[in-house]
Amino acid sequence: MSVEILDGATIVNFMEDEEAFNVQICDRFAHLDSDHDGRLSYGEMLKELQCLRVFETHFGVDVETDPDELVRVYDSLFVQFDHDLNGTVDLEEFKSETKLMMLAMANGMGFLPVQMVLEEDSFLKKAAEWESAKLAA
């Protein structure tokens, strides 16, 4: 984990660089696709869904959540990705839904800089690294 400063524009600009965004999407998808069949099962997606950290934390400490509620939330999130409802997520579904989620985060953040703790291979961390590389160039 690392602390980064970013804003909505960081995320939007990263996604607008289609080459950089597609590389990250394909890398993440390949990492999650443990059986290399070109589709993500619920089990393969679960770790990614858990990384979204959709539950409230207090000063970085997770709040205890009902396990049944967790199952319902993760099931619902999986369905968001599984556009054709065939029980798996292909690369295009993964890319499309990830892009929508990142745009929602960017819109929610706005354009004032925010200091965030980011997981090392999260898309937000990749966006912050991309922005730093662009500024250094």
Side-chain angles (χ1 to χ4, degrees):
M1 292 188 158
S2 65
V3 177
E4 305 288 340
I5 296 175
L6 65 157
D7 61 13
T10 303
I11 298 167
V12 171
N13 292 336
F14 174 64
M15 289 187 312
E16 287 177 349
D17 182 337
E18 286 192 38
E19 183 179 348
F21 184 69
N22 285 337
V23 164
Q24 292 307 318
I25 288 289
C26 290
D27 286 353
R28 189 60 159 182
F29 188 89
H31 173 75
L32 295 171
D33 186 15
S34 60
D35 63 6
H36 310 290
D37 66 354
R39 298 180 308 259
L40 302 177
S41 66
Y42 179 82
E44 289 171 319
M45 278 286 296
L46 187 57
K47 183 177 179 189
E48 187 74 1
L49 297 174
Q50 291 168 335
C51 286
L52 296 175
R53 302 186 60 78
V54 294
F55 292 98
E56 184 179 353
T57 61
H58 296 281
F59 305 106
V61 177
D62 291 331
V63 174
E64 182 120 3
T65 307
D66 176 20
D68 292 335
E69 182 182 3
L70 283 173
V71 169
R72 286 190 300 276
V73 168
Y74 293 135
D75 287 350
S76 175
L77 284 170
F78 184 78
V79 169
Q80 285 291 121
F81 279 86
D82 185 13
H83 296 170
D84 60 10
L85 301 175
N86 69 351
T88 61
V89 175
D90 64 32
L91 178 59
E92 286 307 310
E93 290 171 320
F94 184 73
K95 178 181 174 181
S96 173
E97 196 60 34
T98 300
K99 195 171 220 177
L100 288 173
M101 293 176 85
M102 288 186 71
L103 281 173
M105 281 188 268
N107 288 334
M109 289 175 70
F111 294 97
L112 292 175
V114 177
Q115 187 174 8
M116 298 179 74
V117 176
L118 303 176
E119 298 198 25
E120 288 305 315
D121 17 321
S122 72
F123 283 107
L124 292 179
K125 174 70 174 169
K126 299 298 181 189
E129 290 171 349
W130 176 87
E131 183 177 61
S132 293
K134 288 286 188 187
L135 291 173

